[in-house]
């Protein structure tokens, strides 16, 4: 198994399953998140050196680097907020994401560079 990663911004908090923003705002946020992750995945795939069709995705892991330390982070909300990122990765790779598993997220603090790293675990054929 090989692990590759892409780096994206922390998902907008209005994409959390616990929020109910205006539907027009949410539609725009979903489209932006999906497009951004698809673009970043395409760019990363070019550097992987793996020909298309020679691998498949087994699982994803979200590694969040938050701007501030909080007592506790909710893993389920993070996974739900990243659904649209996952859809963009699926669009770029061309593999159905229903076969992927999502591993336990990790949380760290990085005040200077908050970000979300998505580690993509790949099985080579």
């Amino acid at each position: 198994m090989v692990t590759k990663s892409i780096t994206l911004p922390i998902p907008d908090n209005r994409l959390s399953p616990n929020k109910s923003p205006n539907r027009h705002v949410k539609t725009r946020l979903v489209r932006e998140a999906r497009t951004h992750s698809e673009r970043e995945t395409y760019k990363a795939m070019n550097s992987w050196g793996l020909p298309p069709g020679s691998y498949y995705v087994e699982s994803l892991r979200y590694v969040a680097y938050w701007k501030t330390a909080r007592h506790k982070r909710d893993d389920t909300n993070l996974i739900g907020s990243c659904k649209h990122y996952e859809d963009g990765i699926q669009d770029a790779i061309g593999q159905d994401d229903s076969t992927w598993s999502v591993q336990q997220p990790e949380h760290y603090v990085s005040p200077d560079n908050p970000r979300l790293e998505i580690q993509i675990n790949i099985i080579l054929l």
Side-chain angles (χ1 to χ4, degrees):
M1 180 174 10
V2 178
T3 301
K4 303 294 183 178
S5 68
I6 61 170
T7 302
L8 298 165
I10 297 287
D12 191 295
N13 67 355
R14 292 172 289 184
L15 291 175
S16 170
N18 290 338
K19 298 283 183 171
S20 54
N22 176 294
R23 65 188 171 113
H24 300 291
V25 171
K26 185 164 184 176
T27 299
R28 179 181 53 79
L29 292 170
V30 165
R31 184 174 48 249
E32 289 172 0
R34 188 170 184 156
T35 302
H36 192 176
S37 68
E38 183 179 9
R39 246 186 255 133
E40 289 300 315
T41 304
Y42 273 128
K43 287 196 298 192
M45 287 170 58
N46 289 333
S47 68
W48 292 353
L50 301 172
S54 68
Y55 59 89
Y56 69 93
V57 175
E58 181 186 50
S59 63
L60 301 178
R61 177 185 300 266
Y62 301 117
V63 182
Y65 293 87
W66 303 97
K67 188 171 188 164
T68 60
R70 286 180 52 191
H71 180 64
K72 188 170 181 167
R73 297 287 181 175
D74 188 343
D75 291 343
T76 307
N77 282 340
L78 177 62
I79 292 170
S81 297
C82 294
K83 169 65 176 132
H84 313 294
Y85 282 162
E86 188 176 326
D87 290 341
I89 294 169
Q90 169 192 311
D91 292 343
I93 293 178
Q95 180 186 343
D96 183 19
D97 65 350
S98 66
T99 61
W100 304 351
S101 64
V102 177
Q103 299 175 356
Q104 184 75 23
E106 296 177 18
H107 303 274
Y108 301 100
V109 177
S110 177
D112 299 330
N113 187 16
R115 65 196 181 279
L116 177 74
E117 291 181 2
I118 301 177
Q119 297 175 349
I120 306 169
N121 297 314
I122 296 173
I123 301 287
L124 300 175
L125 300 176

